[in-house]
Amino acid sequence: MKISRFTTLILSEKGNIESALVLIPLLTLFLVASQITITIHGRNMTKISAQDGASTRAISGNFDETDTFLHIDSPDPHQNLDLLISHKKGFLPHIMPGLEKFMGSKREIDVTGVAIVENQR
């Protein structure tokens, strides 16, 4: 019984070790890049939420206890400007759920949102 070259090529185990040596670092690199991308996205979404909250509170006048105000001198004597700084804390997402047990704690971020409050005198 004669085996064809194509069948011999398919049944041959040449290249399996080389494939594993390439795939393991490539998979690790993919997971690290995915974790960085998801972390940056989570931080940006928390930052957008903090900025949205600061803008909404600056317009509505319903301020939180955690808001900070800085007075800004205005060239117009009939207008009083304040800079509203709001703080928001959030947790960074993880690809692997058990990663925070390995790392020791959840990764927390603190972002700020800034808005101008225009008060008429």
Side-chain angles (χ1 to χ4, degrees), residues 13-116:
E13 294 187 16
K14 291 181 182 178
N16 286 342
I17 294 175
E18 289 85 4
S19 296
L21 291 175
V22 170
L23 287 177
I24 292 171
L26 190 61
L27 181 63
T28 305
L29 180 66
F30 173 74
L31 290 175
V32 167
S34 297
Q35 180 66 52
I36 291 172
T37 303
I38 288 172
T39 301
I40 290 172
H41 176 70
R43 185 210 52 199
N44 289 344
M45 294 307 292
T46 306
K47 176 73 175 173
I48 288 170
S49 176
Q51 182 63 44
D52 179 50
S55 298
T56 303
R57 288 194 299 277
I59 293 171
S60 69
N62 299 328
F63 305 114
D64 286 345
E65 306 87 34
T66 60
D67 292 340
T68 308
F69 293 95
L70 293 175
H71 180 69
I72 300 173
D73 291 327
S74 174
D76 185 8
H78 301 291
Q79 194 166 27
N80 182 13
L81 296 176
D82 287 322
L83 184 67
L84 170 70
I85 302 171
S86 75
H87 300 278
K88 185 170 185 172
K89 291 186 178 187
F91 292 105
L92 293 176
H94 293 288
I95 291 177
M96 297 180 292
L99 190 61
E100 61 263 2
K101 291 179 184 176
F102 178 71
M103 301 287 284
S105 66
K106 286 191 170 188
R107 299 293 176 209
E108 187 175 330
I109 56 171
D110 185 15
V111 294
T112 57
V114 178
I116 297 288

